[in-house]
Amino acid sequence: MSLLDTRERKRASPTPPPAAAHPGLGRRIRAAKWSYLYLAPMAVLLLAFVVYPIFASFGYTFYRWNGIGAPGNYVGLANFRQILGDSIFWGAVEHTFVYAFVLVPVQLLLALALALVLNNPKLKFALFFRTVYFIPVVTSAAVVGVVIQLMLANFGDSAGSLLAKTGMTNGHIDWLGDPHTALAVIIAIGIWHTLGYNLVYFLAGLQTIPAELYEAAKLDGCGPVQSFFRITIPMLRQVGVVIVVLAFIGSFQVFDLVQVLTGGGPYFATEVVNTYIYHLAFGGSAGAAAQPDIGLASAASFLYGLLLIVFSALQVLALRGISRRRAAADR
Amino acid sequence: MTSSNVSRRGLLRTAALGAGTLALGGGLSACGSGSPSSAADALTYWDWYVTQAPWVDKEIELFEKGHSGVSVKKTTQQNAKYPDLVALANRSGNPPDVFMIPQVPSVAEQVAKGWLHPLDEWATPAWQSRFPEGTFLEGANVFDGKVYSAPLKGSGPQLQLYIHHGVFKSAGLTNPDGSVKIPRTWDEVTSAAQTITKKSGGKSYGFGFGNADGIGVLAWWLDLFVRGAGAPGGAPTVPGTGMDYRVGKWTFGTDRAYADFLELFVEWKKRGFFHPNSVSLSDEAARAFFERGKFGMTVGGVWNQPEWTQHKFTDYSLVTLPSPTATPKGFYYADPVGNGTFAAVSAKSKKAHEGFQWLDALTSPAAGRRWVEDLNGVSAHPTDNDPDGIDSKPFAAFIGMTEQVLRGPVPLVRNPELAGVAPGVPKPDIGDVVTGVYTGQIKDVQGALSSLADKKFQLLSDAVAAVAKQGKKVSTSDYVFADWDPTKPYTTKKKA
């Protein structure tokens, strides 16, 4: 097509009116009405069970309220003050961040390494191995927690005593009852439990890399290590960002494993923010912990929400900074 | 009223109706009494009794035989959710005719909310006289002179040290006649634990417990050991209790019995007397471990016994109040407040008369005797608590211990207006602190105990101030009984 042809065509077709270039909201909704209709059930449920409770619970942050009857004991900002001054809350924040910042890097490295192995077309029984690694993901965290708790503590000859007998540990270790080991054990179980997710993401990412790139690199004399760093890693960058974000989101929501394995103990050594909020809101099974306080729990969850917003903003800024630096380097 | 309030209320009502429907469904399927055709007319009854269910079912059967035309539909609700379910049922206007009184909100609040039916038309003075003196107490189960409930249970020693005969015998801890040498003092307990741990070669330990459930098991140990040492408040975790009434305060930081015992407790741990998985074991698992002889001693209540009896394990003894000296300086004290609020008739019930008949049957001396015979605990009627005729030797021993429970001060008797005082609970509470000390996370034991005692008193003071603000004449001095001798029964005098 020549340049003249293009000019003539432009002249022939009048400039479209602005309305047509940027159709109004009503027209856009009408045009995509089926999409909105399909989205509607999810949107309604999201509004009812996620958005509404967030705003409704904000009102509770100003009350001392055990959840029965209407909240009546107005305390203003006292709940926020109490949470901010509670060393157990800050301990729970610390444990949650330790959980996330240890679990995510270790898990991603393991998942990537396994994905590279399982992506090898020469590997026999690859499908079987993928299934094996994915099984923990589809198993409920509560079930995983109960079984592992049984193995570590409740069986007659628990893992602790077996390791001591074989001389692998210097005496019997109460893995979940020792404040020095309990959080590490939970992190290790967390890594194992959700490894399959990231493995699948990485496998999907690896399978989008054209084989021609590796063939070309091989012809150019690249070894496997060079191919990995020059082709695999750059090509996985996009999916990698998504995996990191999802892994952090999942880690900051850790609850079920901790609740089942240790209940946040011993003496708050494994308390994470979600178990802290849960214990405030619903109390424990007996005694002192049986006094729920929805107001305090709401205040704690709001403060944690704010913390996560700050963390997310920092994450976005950091990613943007990295992208800018990379773009500048590419130029 | 905002629209959001309306919608929230609507949602709760719907949830309550759902819960009610499920509960009714559960009741219909779970209940063994009454025919399906009579289900709609049946008297509905809610409780949270699981291990005591055989006793309840037997009482239903006997009640239905004695009251033709009246059937009882029992629904056993989940213990942890029970207060929510009762609250939802009341808010939806569809509560059961008779229900065990939930612990939250307080009985005073439940009466104020109009949940409970006053029993005065049936609970005549003659009826009341079948219970021991002091059973009906203004602020506990009587409000504005109207009776709302009656007791099923009496007071026994809340906790005991259980002793495994097999483990003791294997360690050679026997008397010349071959019987097991029962330790009664702190030193004897220490010595027994040391012998077991040393002689078993790693097969058994002196002590064990299961602290994983978050129910404050370690506070039980402190409670059992410090009472006999002269700290009559012990270490309970129930809000507003556990104070030393001689001073009207929690004395964790000032009574040396607490720090002394915790020092000994940590010493026991350092010397390897405890089963090493104790902190992460569940209470349930610890019970099974004790049964299998994994450790020789554990602390628990009478609730341990039904399960062991079911497993045919009765080769154990129990002692209460092991003390530094041979004679205890403090005891367990009867709980007329907690015991007096067992079950109530709903204010909304259309079968209130039948409801009272059912409550009457449940709290009768005959039912109380069956309660004891079925190994559930102590009856409210002292005549029921006769160890003779009880097959289980350990349970008979427990029933025999009721004489060691003394009458103590009851602030509510002195000032019924204290009924509205509901102090909060500090976090960490005593169970957490003992766990922290045991695991080595708390180094400054004395500081932690003093800080906790101060926090508890501050919470009580705040709660008292809140009630005083409503125009009630209450004060923290209402909790002080300076003339009380913890080794003798005490009769609380009413405020002049």
Side-chain angles (χ1 to χ4, degrees):
Chain A
M1 186 188 288
S2 69
L3 186 65
L4 185 67
D5 288 344
T6 314
R7 278 182 191 153
E8 279 173 355
R9 189 174 286 186
K10 271 191 179 172
R11 215 177 291 134
S13 63
T15 312
H22 300 287
L25 182 65
R27 187 177 289 186
R28 275 185 286 161
I29 290 175
R30 274 198 299 280
K33 61 185 173 193
W34 287 108
S35 307
Y36 287 111
L37 204 65
Y38 288 134
L39 277 174
M42 182 56 84
V44 168
L45 291 173
L46 190 79
L47 284 170
F49 295 108
V50 177
V51 179
Y52 168 73
I54 288 173
F55 288 101
S57 67
F58 184 67
Y60 301 147
T61 61
F62 303 111
Y63 291 89
R64 278 280 143 79
W65 182 45
N66 63 12
I68 293 172
N73 186 8
Y74 182 80
V75 293
L77 293 172
N79 284 334
F80 288 103
R81 277 197 295 273
Q82 187 173 330
I83 296 293
L84 286 171
D86 185 359
S87 59
I88 299 170
F89 172 72
W90 292 111
V93 171
E94 187 190 325
H95 299 147
T96 310
F97 275 74
V98 166
Y99 180 89
F101 281 94
V102 174
L103 179 139
V104 173
V106 174
Q107 191 180 58
L108 294 192
L109 284 175
L110 279 175
L112 180 57
L114 272 172
L116 288 168
V117 172
L118 296 180
N119 196 42
N120 185 345
K122 290 176 189 162
L123 181 76
K124 282 182 182 174
F125 310 115
L127 197 64
F128 169 75
F129 288 123
R130 283 177 202 181
T131 311
V132 165
Y133 286 111
F134 201 72
I135 280 175
V137 173
V138 294
T139 312
S140 136
V143 171
V144 165
V146 167
V147 171
I148 292 179
Q149 217 242 3
L150 282 170
M151 288 165 62
L152 290 179
N154 286 348
F155 278 169
D157 242 352
S158 64
S161 48
L162 286 174
L163 288 174
K165 273 178 195 167
T166 55
M168 289 172 78
T169 55
N170 187 16
H172 186 110
I173 297 173
D174 187 3
W175 294 99
L176 295 171
D178 186 331
H180 301 106
T181 56
L183 187 61
V185 170
I186 291 172
I187 292 171
I189 296 166
I191 289 170
W192 166 76
H193 183 230
T194 50
L195 183 73
Y197 269 130
N198 296 323
L199 175 65
V200 167
Y201 293 148
F202 275 127
L203 269 174
L206 286 172
Q207 284 162 11
T208 61
I209 303 173
E212 295 83 10
L213 288 180
Y214 291 107
E215 283 162 16
K218 207 173 178 183
L219 288 174
D220 287 347
C222 271
V225 177
Q226 265 184 313
S227 289
F228 175 72
F229 284 107
R230 301 276 178 180
I231 299 172
T232 310
I233 294 290
M235 293 299 283
L236 280 177
R237 195 178 293 148
Q238 293 301 323
V239 73
V241 169
V242 173
I243 291 172
V244 169
V245 170
L246 289 177
F248 270 112
I249 290 172
S251 301
F252 286 129
Q253 290 175 346
V254 60
F255 169 73
D256 34 19
L257 265 186
V258 177
Q259 183 61 24
V260 176
L261 284 166
T262 61
Y267 192 67
F268 314 109
T270 58
E271 190 87 292
V272 289
V273 180
N274 283 333
T275 54
Y276 175 86
I277 292 168
Y278 175 81
H279 293 143
L280 284 180
F282 302 105
S285 51
Q291 286 211 327
D293 194 326
I294 303 286
L296 267 180
S298 301
S301 49
F302 262 86
L303 286 172
Y304 186 50
L306 285 177
L307 265 177
L308 290 187
I309 287 170
V310 170
F311 174 77
S312 304
L314 289 174
Q315 209 179 0
V316 168
L317 288 175
L319 287 172
R320 270 191 195 164
I322 291 167
S323 301
R324 272 195 207 123
R325 271 205 303 276
R326 194 165 289 137
D330 288 346
R331 274 202 297 273
Chain B
M1 186 187 291
T2 63
S3 60
S4 70
N5 280 342
V6 172
S7 114
R8 191 163 61 236
R9 192 163 292 173
L11 271 173
L12 280 170
R13 194 175 297 133
T14 312
L17 282 170
T21 310
L22 283 172
L24 184 62
L28 287 173
S29 59
C31 180
S33 62
S35 62
S37 59
S38 66
D41 301 324
L43 191 70
T44 51
Y45 169 66
W46 282 12
D47 66 14
W48 65 77
Y49 277 169
V50 176
T51 54
Q52 302 92 338
W55 172 80
V56 182
D57 294 340
K58 199 189 296 172
E59 294 309 314
I60 290 174
E61 206 179 311
L62 290 167
F63 176 76
E64 287 178 346
K65 267 185 200 160
H67 297 78
S68 58
V70 185
S71 62
V72 176
K73 282 284 172 199
K74 180 190 81 166
T75 305
T76 299
Q77 304 285 12
Q78 193 204 351
N79 193 342
K81 290 286 153 223
Y82 189 79
D84 294 342
L85 291 169
V86 171
L88 283 168
N90 273 289
R91 289 182 73 171
S92 68
N94 189 27
D97 295 303
V98 182
F99 55 93
M100 271 178 78
I101 297 173
Q103 288 168 337
V104 179
S106 68
V107 187
E109 259 185 277
Q110 293 180 49
V111 170
K113 284 176 188 292
W115 292 2
L116 313 187
H117 197 303
L119 307 177
D120 289 69
E121 53 187 299
W122 311 289
T124 59
W127 183 83
Q128 290 181 38
S129 69
R130 81 181 188 191
F131 295 96
E133 196 190 336
T135 294
F136 296 96
L137 181 60
E138 183 68 39
N141 50 14
V142 180
F143 294 89
D144 292 329
K146 293 175 183 163
V147 174
Y148 286 88
S149 187
L152 160 71
K153 293 188 282 185
S155 290
Q158 286 104 309
L159 295 161
Q160 299 90 43
L161 181 70
Y162 284 90
I163 294 167
H164 192 290
H165 287 180
V167 174
F168 268 62
K169 282 178 182 166
S170 299
L173 292 164
T174 50
N175 295 309
D177 65 355
S179 63
V180 169
K181 199 185 264 179
I182 304 291
R184 295 186 190 277
T185 64
W186 290 13
D187 283 347
E188 286 169 4
V189 171
T190 306
S191 170
Q194 185 180 10
T195 309
I196 292 166
T197 309
K198 207 173 159 186
K199 290 202 174 168
S200 74
K203 268 178 76 185
S204 293
Y205 294 86
F207 307 111
F209 56 86
N211 194 49
D213 307 303
I215 52 177
V217 167
L218 285 186
W220 301 353
W221 287 72
L222 185 63
D223 188 69
L224 181 74
F225 280 87
V226 298
R227 282 177 181 274
T237 52
V238 176
T241 63
M243 62 166 50
D244 183 340
Y245 287 125
R246 290 173 297 185
V247 289
K249 285 184 177 173
W250 286 269
T251 54
F252 305 139
T254 48
D255 190 327
R256 59 171 289 185
Y258 292 96
D260 282 354
F261 174 70
L262 287 180
E263 200 182 306
L264 180 65
F265 198 51
V266 172
E267 184 66 21
W268 288 346
K269 189 202 170 189
K270 281 183 185 159
R271 293 170 71 183
F273 294 174
F274 283 99
H275 188 282
N277 276 355
S278 291
V279 176
S280 55
L281 274 181
S282 66
D283 184 38
E284 198 76 26
R287 264 205 292 276
F289 273 31
F290 178 75
E291 186 181 322
R292 290 179 213 157
K294 295 263 175 197
F295 38 83
M297 288 174 274
T298 192
V299 171
V302 68
W303 55 84
N304 285 334
Q305 296 193 26
E307 188 180 323
W308 288 332
T309 308
Q310 273 176 30
H311 300 170
K312 314 265 185 247
F313 168 59
T314 52
D315 193 25
Y316 60 90
S317 293
L318 51 155
V319 290
T320 194
L321 299 167
S323 314
T325 52
T327 316
K329 293 177 184 164
F331 290 88
Y332 279 107
Y333 305 95
D335 178 15
V337 180
N339 289 342
T341 51
F342 162 54
V345 177
S346 167
K348 301 255 171 17
S349 174
K350 287 178 181 146
K351 304 182 189 81
H353 178 69
E354 291 86 345
F356 174 76
Q357 286 179 322
W358 171 228
L359 187 62
D360 173 49
L362 282 175
T363 57
S364 66
R369 181 63 196 166
R370 289 187 287 271
W371 174 260
V372 176
E373 284 168 354
D374 285 3
L375 317 187
N376 291 306
V378 179
S379 164
H381 305 284
T383 48
D384 290 338
N385 300 320
D386 181 1
D388 290 344
I390 296 172
D391 294 336
S392 163
K393 218 171 151 190
F395 190 78
F398 167 74
I399 291 296
M401 287 175 179
T402 52
E403 285 164 12
Q404 293 184 42
V405 179
L406 304 186
R407 204 167 57 240
V410 187
L412 260 180
V413 170
R414 178 194 277 173
N415 184 2
E417 295 201 317
L418 290 172
V421 177
V425 178
K427 191 178 175 182
D429 203 353
I430 189 70
D432 304 315
V433 169
V434 185
T435 306
V437 171
Y438 180 86
T439 56
Q441 290 163 279
I442 294 177
K443 307 279 182 215
D444 178 9
V445 177
Q446 190 62 50
L449 289 170
S450 299
S451 161
L452 176 62
D454 293 345
K455 273 188 213 160
K456 281 182 97 80
F457 189 71
Q458 186 57 52
L459 287 165
L460 177 77
S461 304
D462 294 346
V464 167
V467 171
K469 228 180 193 176
Q470 297 162 12
K472 305 269 168 95
K473 286 180 187 159
V474 290
S475 149
T476 52
S477 64
D478 288 328
Y479 295 92
V480 181
F481 296 81
D483 60 336
W484 177 44
D485 175 354
T487 61
K488 290 177 182 144
Y490 185 87
T491 304
T492 310
K493 294 185 186 83
K494 286 186 180 168
K495 215 174 185 177

